[in-house]
Amino acid sequence: LAKTTQPISMDSYEGQEVNITCSHNNIATNDYITWYQQFPSQGPRFIIQGYKTKVTNEVASLFIPADRKSSTLSLPRVSLSDTAVYYCLVGDIGFRGTDKLIFGTGTRLQVFP
Amino acid sequence: DAGVIQSPRHEVTEMGQEVTLRCKPISGHDYLFWYRQTMMRGLELLIYFNNNVPIDDSGMPEDRFSAKMPNASFSTLKIQPSEPRDSAVYFCASSGPGQSNTEAFFGQGTRLTVV
């Protein structure tokens, strides 16, 4: 089961771009990389998912290098409402074997005005 | 769809009492997960089901915890007897076919306080 490592916390100011990097050195061939966001008193919410290269949606971009041993979540022009905990997950579609939806410690992003 | 629905939203109970948490997954989803979240331990996966069958319950802390999924639209997590250290927010999540199974939808959670 691929383990992920993220910074514990990050600070930013409104309007800046925020990049959160996650390390997953033992990622397997079948593993996808998924990011979730969690606000206080709410359940985690899916943000973006990718397998390789770059994925972009209306909320964020996900950059994955060729070796897939890391990934970077990019939040453009953050606002105060982006203050949350961001989780990086690595897992096999279909939960084969011991793969499960396991959350690490996450990165606590604080956005200041 | 209303999303994953959990009840109750808040539960305060006395030590030793039985507690039952309820979850209604999104219709059509075939995976259901139960998590527990505390400041100290973060989000812990307790158990998950596929097509109503428990697949992995290795995260269930002890025999006081049990979970059932009698049908595709309902699951329960029971703690008997409850202890103060069980105080946490319990989340239920579901994931469906046609999506990556790492895209799960979470309920609002049940905040359990055992006094």
Side-chain angles (χ1 to χ4, degrees):
Chain A
L1 182 63
K3 178 180 169 61
T4 61
T5 303
Q6 311 174 228
I8 292 175
S9 64
M10 294 181 69
D11 293 336
S12 182
Y13 291 95
E14 282 191 294
Q16 290 188 331
E17 178 184 78
V18 171
N19 295 309
I20 306 174
T21 297
C22 178
S23 297
H24 27 80
N25 291 319
N26 297 322
I27 189 169
T29 302
N30 293 329
D31 286 344
Y32 277 64
I33 300 157
T34 311
W35 286 80
Y36 282 78
Q37 174 191 56
Q38 186 179 25
F39 298 114
S41 302
Q42 293 186 26
R45 182 175 71 109
F46 173 90
I47 301 177
I48 196 166
Q49 182 180 73
Y51 184 80
K52 61 181 179 181
T53 63
K54 176 184 175 182
V55 180
T56 298
N57 62 23
E58 65 278 5
V59 176
S61 294
L62 178 60
F63 298 91
I64 305 170
D67 67 5
R68 304 199 326 122
K69 293 183 183 298
S70 66
S71 59
T72 299
L73 176 72
S74 181
L75 305 172
R77 298 180 299 281
V78 294
S79 65
L80 295 176
S81 62
D82 292 317
T83 294
V85 178
Y86 293 83
Y87 295 94
C88 165
L89 281 73
V90 174
D92 182 9
I93 292 177
F95 300 108
R96 287 184 284 272
T98 59
D99 286 338
K100 317 166 197 177
L101 200 53
I102 300 291
F103 287 77
T105 56
T107 298
R108 187 173 299 276
L109 173 65
Q110 179 69 54
V111 180
F112 295 96
Chain B
D1 199 310
V4 176
I5 300 173
Q6 292 186 245
S7 64
R9 290 294 308 278
H10 302 273
E11 176 81 32
V12 180
T13 190
E14 291 185 346
M15 182 174 62
Q17 296 298 306
E18 177 180 294
V19 176
T20 300
L21 311 181
R22 297 172 175 78
C23 175
K24 176 179 168 55
I26 292 174
S27 177
H29 281 188
D30 58 349
Y31 280 89
L32 184 138
F33 307 85
W34 281 101
Y35 289 87
R36 175 173 70 176
Q37 187 170 37
T38 61
M39 288 294 294
M40 291 297 295
R41 301 176 68 90
L43 263 169
E44 301 175 274
L45 177 64
L46 301 178
I47 185 172
Y48 77 96
F49 295 82
N50 179 222
N51 292 321
N52 313 337
V53 176
I55 302 301
D56 190 333
D57 65 354
S58 59
M60 297 284 261
E62 45 196 282
D63 292 345
R64 298 184 297 106
F65 286 69
S66 63
K68 294 182 179 180
M69 192 165 185
N71 57 61
S73 60
F74 184 66
S75 177
T76 59
L77 178 67
K78 184 179 295 185
I79 308 172
Q80 166 63 20
S82 58
E83 297 182 4
R85 60 190 167 128
D86 301 331
S87 298
V89 180
Y90 291 80
F91 289 104
C92 174
S94 71
S95 179
Q99 304 164 300
S100 156
N101 281 333
T102 50
E103 180 178 352
F105 296 82
F106 283 75
Q108 290 295 301
T110 296
R111 182 174 296 277
L112 173 64
T113 303
V114 183
V115 298

